[in-house]
Amino acid sequence: MSNIPNSEQIDNVMAQRELRRSRRNWRYIAFAALAIAVIAVLGKALGGFSEPIAKTHIARVVIDGTITSDPTRRAILNELADNDEVSSVIVQINSPGGSTAGGEELYEGLMRLRAKKPVVSVINELGASAAYMMAVGSDRIYARRLSIVGSIGVLVMHLDASKLFQTIGLDYDKVSTGPLKAEPDIDEPMADDVRSSYQALVDDSYNWFVDIVAERRQIERSQVLILADGRVLTGRQALAEKLIDAIGDETDALAWLKENHDIDEQNVSTYFPLPENQWDKVQNLIGTTAKDLLGSSFKSVTALDGVVSVWQPAR
């Protein structure tokens, strides 16, 4: 038998070689496309985010989400007060409130700021509870007509799971240094002395909240008390009750600064939150893309404990 391949065998060998070459070429093309995509993503994430800050400019501070105390934010507000290149500050607000201490910290920070330069707050979707507490520290408050404003009040919550514990046969015991230490317990209803103690705590925070609203908004305290039952108002209702100064947004805030403080044609630079570092930008971009592709929805929740001033606490 002859070992010389016939024409059909030669054609098969050539076809297999061509197929391997084609596959290799497609791998090269796919790798190149992937490399281009990665470069484009990185370019989008890492480039075009920084802009030069003009010598004299307006600072923007963005308060978004649940409010808690924040040493970085506090330091930035203090620095803005002493920065001669910052002519004024606009505070963008979209928050349901948070801890009373966090709201007080922001209020005090804005009060220190306004002693040295104009401060304007702009409530977007939501400026309630501790977020409104903060806003009254500014010189002027804007809100949209249908923004949610107000919710002047304070609360402490307690979960009573005593019936559940009885059903499953569990008991919760402790040794403490006093009858009010680590109270209330989750395995029993709130006792009268515990409730009185917490009511005094809430009342003290609430009275301070009412006082600063009355003082800063120049409203009779008796009138503030009527509004301070936890209710929320639209921007239009809040304007009628003198809780805000005008309907508007950042554009209107800039116009007010120009008209009343001769601050004209200045760049607005965001000082808080701090810009993401380069790796965070890539991670967030990839994460957002993944969520879009997977159709997943995620909810960011900040746990609050103790005395809070929040419109609707997470349950």
Side-chain angles (χ1 to χ4, degrees):
M1 178 179 291
S2 175
N3 292 326
I4 300 175
N6 57 36
S7 59
E8 183 178 354
Q9 290 173 324
I10 292 173
D11 289 342
N12 288 338
V13 170
M14 295 299 293
Q16 291 174 4
R17 288 178 179 176
E18 185 64 28
L19 179 60
R20 286 195 295 269
R21 186 181 300 111
S22 175
R23 287 174 177 174
R24 186 166 57 250
N25 290 339
W26 277 112
R27 290 192 188 101
Y28 292 151
I29 293 171
F31 180 80
L34 179 61
I36 292 171
V38 170
I39 292 172
V41 169
L42 291 177
K44 181 179 179 181
L46 304 181
F49 282 87
S50 61
E51 58 182 40
I53 297 178
K55 185 172 182 181
T56 303
H57 59 280
I58 300 169
R60 181 192 292 116
V61 174
V62 180
I63 306 299
D64 187 53
T66 305
I67 293 172
T68 58
S69 57
D70 185 332
T72 301
R73 184 186 62 209
R74 182 171 63 248
I76 289 172
L77 292 179
N78 291 337
E79 290 170 6
L80 288 176
D82 297 329
N83 189 341
D84 293 334
E85 293 182 352
V86 173
S87 63
S88 55
V89 178
I90 293 178
V91 185
Q92 288 277 3
I93 301 171
N94 184 22
S95 168
S99 71
T100 50
E104 178 194 1
E105 178 182 272
L106 280 165
Y107 168 78
E108 297 288 358
L110 296 192
M111 288 292 287
R112 283 192 296 271
L113 261 177
R114 65 173 294 274
K116 296 187 176 183
K117 57 197 65 178
V119 179
V120 186
S121 287
V122 178
I123 296 173
N124 295 311
E125 284 82 2
L126 182 59
S129 297
Y132 182 71
M133 179 190 295
M134 163 193 62
V136 300
S138 55
D139 293 298
R140 190 168 178 84
I141 304 175
Y142 286 93
R144 297 186 180 278
R145 290 178 181 82
L146 301 182
S147 298
I148 296 176
V149 182
S151 186
I152 302 170
V154 178
L155 75 153
V156 170
M157 294 188 298
H158 165 58
L159 174 64
D160 176 13
S162 56
K163 293 183 178 179
L164 174 62
F165 274 43
Q166 292 172 5
T167 300
I168 61 179
L170 289 180
D171 190 19
Y172 183 80
D173 206 356
K174 70 175 185 288
V175 176
S176 65
T177 56
L180 297 179
K181 182 64 178 175
E183 290 288 345
D185 280 332
I186 193 173
D187 68 332
E188 60 186 17
M190 190 181 293
D192 291 342
D193 57 343
V194 176
R195 186 175 297 277
S196 296
S197 173
Y198 272 91
Q199 189 64 59
L201 184 72
V202 166
D203 288 346
D204 186 61
S205 300
Y206 173 75
N207 286 329
W208 181 80
F209 195 171
V210 170
D211 287 343
I212 64 169
V213 172
E215 177 184 352
R216 294 289 303 134
R217 300 304 304 164
Q218 298 183 348
I219 308 172
E220 290 293 329
R221 194 177 194 277
S222 58
Q223 181 61 29
V224 176
L225 286 171
I226 294 174
L227 300 172
D229 57 359
R231 74 181 69 182
V232 291
L233 302 93
T234 65
R236 293 194 300 177
Q237 292 172 320
L239 178 61
E241 299 292 351
K242 300 181 180 179
L243 294 181
I244 66 171
D245 295 290
I247 300 297
D249 55 16
E250 186 171 294
T251 301
D252 299 285
L254 291 170
W256 181 82
L257 289 171
K258 176 181 178 181
E259 181 178 350
N260 293 273
H261 296 278
D262 296 324
I263 298 173
D264 187 19
E265 301 299 328
Q266 292 184 10
N267 291 338
V268 181
S269 299
T270 300
Y271 276 75
F272 186 87
L274 293 172
E276 299 171 315
N277 62 43
Q278 308 296 359
W279 180 239
D280 285 340
K281 291 177 183 177
V282 175
Q283 286 182 309
N284 290 337
L285 183 62
I286 294 174
T288 301
T289 304
K291 285 192 291 184
D292 291 341
L293 290 175
L294 297 174
S296 302
S297 61
F298 297 86
K299 183 179 180 181
S300 176
V301 176
T302 300
L304 293 173
D305 196 8
V307 183
V308 298
S309 181
V310 62
W311 174 37
Q312 289 187 341
R315 292 180 173 84

